């Protein structure tokens, strides 16, 4: 196996030597943005969409990445190529860079760009076969007027606390509400329900990340003739749903069979989920930016 090489600001470092300054504002203040991307079969999935979201997040924070989006895409492809991987998990991190102690970004002359390429640790197959149990977290998603969850920033503390709440309950994911008690998403996944045959997912403005897997699933669902709606729903709409499932780059699509102790339908992954999951699998294997040609 080739040694893992990590890109930092124009150089490739072996894993043990890859580090940034303790004065980096990404570390000191969570001042930065990131993306989690996958490669399947030698192709990077939705590279353009991930880079676009990265630049959107950076723009919101007035963070100048310092290279163009096209250069960033090239750097990501090159980083995977150097690691000689065909299936990979790619973490792109852009921080405000090294500066003084003090939150003022003006002390940081240049952003730090990090590209980590690694293999992905897949979820146990039983999650996909049997479905997950989830609970609603007492930790709310950030207010859209405070730190909009559309921004994939290095501030994930609400989600981390929510995740820990799930872990304490022995669960892998948790539902997160917004401050008005509407369902927003999960700690690192978006959520879908099937309600009277209609596929529904919360509006992004309720406080969710605009997941690239979410958007892909919505597109696949529409193309297969399903009615798809962005909507508002509460926990109680989930309890009554015919199907519930989650989407994300790492998880892909994973069924949910129990929510806050309520069994979803017959407690088994539903037919619409299974159909979309199969179509998503097909989709990821036939789309993407080629790494080696
Ligand atoms: N919601 C949140 C809050 C996320 O962070 C998603 C939804 C799914 O979005 P995509 O674009 O992936 O379909 C995410 C992204 C990890 C990890 O390493 C994954 C995410 C975030 C942080 C870490 O597993 N998922």
């Amino acid at each position: 196996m080739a040694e893992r090489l990590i890109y930092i600001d124009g150089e490739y470092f072996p894993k043990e030597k890859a580090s940034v300054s303790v004065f980096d504002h990404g570390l000191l203040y969570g001042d930065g943005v990131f993306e989690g991307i996958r490669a399947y079969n030698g192709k990077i999935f939705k590279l353009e969409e991930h880079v676009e979201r990265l630049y959107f997040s950076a723009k919101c924070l007035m963070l100048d990445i310092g290279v163009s989006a096209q250069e960033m895409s090239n750097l990501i492809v090159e980083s995977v190529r150097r690691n000689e991987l065909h299936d990979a998990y790619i973490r792109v991190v852009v921080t405000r860079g090294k500066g003084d102690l003090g939150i003022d970004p003006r002390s940081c002359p240049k952003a730090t760009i990090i590209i980590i390429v690694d293999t992905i640790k897949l979820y146990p197959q039983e999650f996909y076969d049997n479905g997950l149990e989830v609970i609603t977290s007492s930790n709310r998603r950030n207010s859209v007027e405070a730190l909009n969850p559309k921004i994939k920033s290095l501030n994930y503390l609400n989600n981390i606390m929510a995740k820990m709440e799930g872990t304490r309950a022995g669960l892998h994911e948790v539902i997160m509400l917004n401050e008005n008690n509407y369902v927003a998403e999960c700690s690192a996944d978006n959520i879908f329900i099937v309600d009277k045959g209609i596929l529904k997912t919360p509006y992004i403005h309720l406080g969710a990340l605009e997941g690239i897997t979410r958007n892909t699933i919505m597109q696949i669902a529409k193309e297969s003739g399903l009615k798809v709606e962005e909507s508002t729903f509460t926990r109680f709409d989930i309890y009554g749903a015919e199907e519930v499932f989650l989407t994300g780059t790492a998880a892909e699509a994973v069924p949910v069979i129990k929510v806050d102790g309520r069994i979803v339908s017959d407690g088994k992954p539903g037919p619409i989920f299974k159909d979309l999951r199969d179509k998503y699998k097909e989709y990821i294997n036939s789309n993407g930016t080629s790494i080696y040609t």
Side-chain angles (χ1 to χ4, degrees), residues 16-34:
E16 314 72 50
K17 299 230 168 76
S19 57
V20 293
S21 165
V22 293
F23 292 97
D24 193 295
H25 280 209
L27 173 68
L28 290 174
Y29 304 112
D31 190 354
V33 296
F34 77 105

Side-chain angles (χ1 to χ4, degrees), residues 37-63:
I37 311 172
R38 280 179 82 168
Y40 297 95
N41 294 331
K43 294 190 295 295
I44 302 179
F45 186 63
K46 298 277 178 192
L47 176 60
E48 207 179 300
E49 286 80 355
H50 280 285
V51 170
E52 199 178 297
R53 189 170 67 186
L54 182 76
Y55 278 72
F56 165 78
S57 298
K59 184 174 187 179
C60 291
L61 304 181
M62 294 199 275
L63 166 55

Side-chain angles (χ1 to χ4, degrees), residues 8 14 98 142 168 170 212 253 265 273:
I8 307 174
K98 203 160 85 174
N142 259 317
R168 282 203 312 280
I212 287 161
S265 289
F273 162 76

